[in-house]
Amino acid sequence: MKRPFLQSTLRELHLVLKAPRLWATFAAVVLIFWVTGPYSTAERLALVPRLGFWLVLHALTWAIAIVSAVFANGIMRERVTSGFVRMMIGAAVASIPIGLVTTAIGSVTFSVAPTAAGVLTDIATGLLLSLSFCALTWMTINGDAASELDDTGTFAATPDTRGHQASIGPTTFQENTGQVPLLLRLKHANRGVPLHLTVSDHYTEVTTTAGRELILLRFADALGELGPVQGLQVHRSHWVADAHVARLVRDNGRMTIQLGDGTEVPVSRTYAAAVRQRWG
């Protein structure tokens, strides 16, 4: 797997798992199954073993359904618009391993040899449960997590700090959109048009029209994830978007770039000729 996909998917999984209402819902479901004892578990298991049975079964099946749903959300992000639909597709795929896990736990608990008919029944039941788990997960996660999971990783041009409209084109400010893998690493609130990237220890600081954020990523890798955004590396530690350049500043042979927010970025000799040609 490519690193951007894996990291963004793990981040989304973390967002889902840290939602308190998800765990409250999980606990409520386990409690209901424990008390009611469906599938003859009330007759076949004592109170404490029955709790253990449903706790283990639900923990494994929920884990499979959630992981499958989140990975499907990442894989199909560019092909399916709705995050909820993407996750439900992943949950449907998870019905097979859920059915097999259910069969295995039932066989071990009740000392019953599995049969083909029983496995198919457990898979069908797993499909229903997996879709239900996914729907409950979607309904119980908070708004920020839902926005993150429903996001497609695209950006639209938005007003920059000078009141103009930022652009991904080299000369004019115009409305445009594009796929920028780097944005998937940022918090949803900071996903705007990339304006400035700079090195900060082992991190890359990303400034966009929406905010600023430090991410654990090599500078070279960050540059490779800018997609169609037009700009130029001007120093071994700085990249600047065309839309964020206000003017070149020359002082005794030393060249800097004044950005739209007033920040001055140094230009190294290696990139000086390219900078003059592009913005001089």
Side-chain angles (χ1 to χ4, degrees):
M1 294 182 187
K2 294 182 180 180
R3 182 184 292 182
F5 165 78
L6 181 60
Q7 289 193 359
S8 62
T9 301
L10 291 176
R11 175 174 180 161
E12 291 168 357
L13 183 61
H14 175 69
L15 283 171
V16 172
L17 294 179
K18 75 177 185 179
R21 285 181 292 180
L22 171 65
W23 293 105
T25 303
F26 171 79
V29 170
V30 172
L31 180 62
I32 291 172
F33 275 72
W34 176 41
V35 172
T36 59
Y39 304 106
S40 301
T41 53
E43 294 79 18
R44 303 171 70 178
L45 294 173
L47 197 63
V48 174
R50 187 163 76 241
L51 173 61
F53 174 82
W54 286 118
L55 183 60
V56 171
L57 183 62
H58 279 293
L60 290 175
T61 54
W62 277 59
I64 293 170
I66 291 173
V67 170
S68 179
V70 172
F71 267 79
N73 182 61
I75 292 171
M76 296 184 290
R77 191 183 299 276
E78 296 181 5
R79 293 185 290 273
V80 180
T81 304
S82 170
F84 176 72
V85 172
R86 293 193 298 263
M87 293 186 70
M88 290 295 278
I89 293 173
V93 173
S95 63
I96 296 176
I98 286 176
L100 296 176
V101 166
T102 301
T103 298
I105 293 176
S107 298
V108 171
T109 303
F110 302 112
S111 301
V112 177
T115 63
V119 171
L120 291 176
T121 299
D122 286 339
I123 290 175
T125 304
L127 175 62
L128 177 62
L129 292 176
S130 183
L131 293 176
S132 300
F133 296 160
C134 183
L136 284 171
T137 299
W138 185 266
M139 289 187 292
T140 55
I141 59 179
N142 59 40
D144 288 342
S147 297
E148 181 94 8
L149 291 166
D150 204 37
D151 189 77
T152 59
T154 62
F155 72 86
T158 55
D160 71 2
T161 54
R162 291 168 288 173
H164 298 290
Q165 190 165 53
S167 167
I168 64 171
T171 56
T172 60
F173 294 95
Q174 60 185 5
E175 186 175 356
N176 212 328
T177 59
Q179 290 291 335
V180 182
L182 183 64
L183 295 184
L184 297 177
R185 299 181 182 275
L186 306 181
K187 295 177 181 178
H188 186 76
N190 292 331
R191 295 182 182 178
V193 181
L195 299 176
H196 180 207
L197 272 60
T198 184
V199 175
S200 180
D201 294 327
H202 298 293
Y203 292 80
T204 296
E205 183 179 85
V206 182
T207 301
T208 72
T209 53
R212 181 176 298 169
E213 185 175 342
L214 277 174
I215 57 174
L216 183 58
L217 181 67
R218 292 192 312 164
F219 188 62
D221 292 337
L223 295 180
E225 295 183 14
L226 284 168
V229 182
Q230 297 297 303
L232 189 68
Q233 184 175 357
V234 301
H235 187 275
R236 64 189 177 96
S237 302
H238 293 276
W239 173 93
V240 177
D242 291 344
H244 201 37
V245 175
R247 65 190 182 95
L248 295 184
V249 179
R250 296 178 175 86
D251 183 16
N252 294 326
R254 178 175 174 269
M255 184 185 303
T256 60
I257 297 173
Q258 187 177 63
L259 304 182
D261 58 5
T263 302
E264 286 199 0
V265 173
V267 177
S268 65
R269 292 182 179 180
T270 304
Y271 302 99
V275 168
R276 284 194 296 267
Q277 182 178 4
R278 193 178 191 103
W279 299 310

